[in-house]
């Protein structure tokens, strides 16, 4: 049984299709129900699977995350794999007045994972896979800005939105790093990864300028979605990597030369505790 956020387009859809083809029961957790239903029908048609389901999830609304978790726990008996894939690179705020990139890319997934942890533990061996980005190298965690402005940085330009995206991707890695520590002794492992520069619709809600920039970068440097899905599938399915829980993967291999800020124990712990406070878990 696999649950995926952001599964109605791009690499999310490609991974869902692969898992369905392997016989998994796949839950597509998506905000846009119309697009998600079209994706679900495509996957069913391509794989012949009758075990592809759709559930409503808006990661930019913490109440939606709670409702999704409540409905999932009522309807599903197990959870073997949780893939945190949804991501945005845009300006604006979430329904809870957090910066959009931080709120969707990190905080929504943080709450979702925590609400489903008991089910993951009961279903072990199980995994949590979180899609990050190599752009974490340009990221930082400004706790003063987070506590004061509920965002990872100030500014509302297209450039600011990209920088905030980078910050949120560092948060993804620190979240996984801390989660691995907290899961020690359980039968749940976790991994973060960068799928490569995949030509997806990540900027589809952005300004025209943002969409042009992402499109040009995609055309020049991107790989196709099926190639981009491979590292996600590796972290989800590959046997023998359990001892690498908490690591960051690229091209189906763990990166051992991570920048120190992505392996900072104090920062990871503080981000976890602040995220708990923001989500009302502490």
């Amino acid at each position: 049984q696999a649950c995926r956020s952001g599964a109605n387009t791009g690499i999310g859809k490609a991974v869902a299709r692969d898992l369905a083809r392997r016989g998994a029961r796949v839950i597509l957790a998506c905000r846009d129900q119309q697009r998600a239903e079209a994706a679900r029908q495509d996957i069913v048609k391509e794989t012949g699977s009758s075990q592809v389901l759709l559930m409503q999830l808006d990661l930019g609304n913490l109440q939606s995350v709670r409702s999704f978790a409540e409905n999932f726990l009522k309807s599903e008996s197990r959870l073997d794999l949780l893939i945190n894939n949804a991501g945005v690179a845009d300006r604006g705020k979430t329904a809870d007045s957090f910066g959009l990139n931080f709120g969707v890319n990190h905080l929504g997934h943080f709450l979702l994972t925590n609400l489903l942890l008991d089910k993951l533990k009961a279903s072990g061996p199980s995994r949590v896979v979180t899609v990050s980005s190599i752009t974490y190298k340009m990221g930082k965690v400004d706790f003063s800005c987070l506590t004061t402005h509920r965002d990872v940085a100030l500014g509302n330009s297209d450039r600011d939105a990209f920088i905030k995206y980078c910050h949120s991707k560092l948060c993804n890695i620190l979240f996984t790093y801390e989660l691995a520590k907290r899961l020690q002794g359980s039968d749940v492992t976790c991994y973060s990864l960068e799928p490569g520069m995949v030509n997806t619709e990540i900027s589809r809600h952005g300004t025209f300028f943002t969409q042009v920039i992402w499109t040009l970068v995609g055309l020049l440097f991107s790989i196709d979605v099926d190639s981009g899905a491979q590292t996600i599938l590796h972290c989800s399915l590959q046997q023998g990597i359990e001892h690498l829980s908490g690591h960051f993967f690229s091209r189906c291999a763990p990166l051992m030369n991570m920048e120190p800020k992505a392996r900072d124990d104090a920062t990871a712990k503080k981000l976890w505790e602040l995220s708990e406070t923001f989500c009302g878990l502490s």
Side-chain angles (χ1 to χ4, degrees):
Q1 166 108 349
C3 177
R4 289 191 50 80
S5 68
N8 66 345
T9 187
I11 53 176
K13 183 179 177 183
V15 171
R17 181 173 58 239
D18 188 285
L19 294 173
R21 189 173 284 127
R22 294 170 186 263
R25 178 177 171 86
V26 181
I27 308 293
L28 310 180
C30 304
R31 182 182 62 85
D32 189 326
Q33 294 293 280
Q34 186 174 355
R35 289 166 59 93
E37 177 57 25
R40 190 194 71 81
Q41 291 181 17
D42 285 345
I43 294 170
V44 169
K45 183 177 180 180
E46 293 172 24
T47 65
S49 173
S50 61
Q51 293 297 302
V52 182
L53 292 83
L54 173 61
M55 292 182 66
Q56 172 77 38
L57 172 63
D58 180 358
L59 288 162
N61 184 325
L62 296 181
Q63 183 53 50
S64 174
V65 177
R66 293 186 183 93
S67 295
F68 169 87
E70 182 180 357
N71 292 333
F72 180 91
L73 294 173
K74 286 180 180 177
S75 64
E76 303 300 320
S77 61
R78 60 182 301 111
L79 178 57
D80 303 285
L81 173 62
L82 172 63
I83 303 179
N84 294 319
N85 170 71
V88 297
D90 201 2
R91 301 179 292 178
K93 296 284 188 179
T94 69
D96 307 282
S97 298
F98 294 102
L100 189 64
N101 295 283
F102 173 75
V104 172
N105 298 350
H106 167 68
L107 202 61
H109 285 133
F110 175 87
L111 178 59
L112 177 66
T113 302
N114 274 278
L115 293 177
L116 298 179
L117 265 186
D118 286 344
K119 181 67 74 175
L120 284 159
K121 290 177 181 178
S123 306
S126 55
R127 296 183 181 186
V128 179
V129 177
T130 300
V131 180
S132 181
S133 167
I134 201 66
T135 60
Y136 89 86
K137 291 184 176 183
M138 291 182 276
K140 66 178 182 179
V141 182
D142 184 339
F143 287 108
S144 176
C145 192
L146 275 172
T147 53
T148 303
H149 302 285
R150 296 161 74 92
D151 203 352
V152 284
L154 299 179
N156 200 39
S157 69
D158 290 328
R159 179 183 179 278
D160 294 327
F162 174 71
I163 294 300
K164 291 178 183 181
Y165 172 81
C166 299
H167 296 338
S168 74
K169 294 292 103 176
L170 176 59
C171 290
N172 289 152
I173 295 172
L174 291 167
F175 160 63
T176 302
Y177 182 61
E178 179 68 17
L179 178 62
K181 295 179 186 178
R182 293 170 182 258
L183 289 173
Q184 287 179 2
S186 75
D187 213 5
V188 185
T189 53
C190 58
Y191 314 90
S192 62
L193 64 98
E194 65 101 6
M197 178 56 74
V198 183
N199 196 3
T200 68
E201 300 179 10
I202 189 171
S203 65
R204 67 180 183 271
H205 300 298
T207 65
F208 175 75
F209 177 76
T210 303
Q211 293 180 41
V212 169
I213 293 299
W214 279 97
T215 299
L216 288 175
V217 171
L219 289 173
L220 290 171
F221 303 108
S222 73
I223 58 178
D224 62 83
V225 292
D226 289 317
S227 297
Q230 294 312 303
T231 302
I232 301 176
L233 291 167
H234 178 85
C235 291
S236 300
L237 303 170
Q238 183 64 38
Q239 297 301 306
I241 65 170
E242 290 78 8
H243 66 289
L244 295 170
S245 183
H247 278 70
F248 178 78
F249 281 68
S250 176
R251 297 183 179 181
C252 299
L255 283 185
M256 296 303 186
N257 59 339
M258 296 291 289
E259 294 195 10
K261 63 184 175 183
R263 287 292 178 268
D264 187 288
D265 294 292
T267 302
K269 184 174 184 290
K270 188 173 182 179
L271 177 63
W272 184 284
E273 292 172 347
L274 182 59
S275 299
E276 282 185 323
T277 300
F278 281 158
C279 292
L281 295 176
S282 58

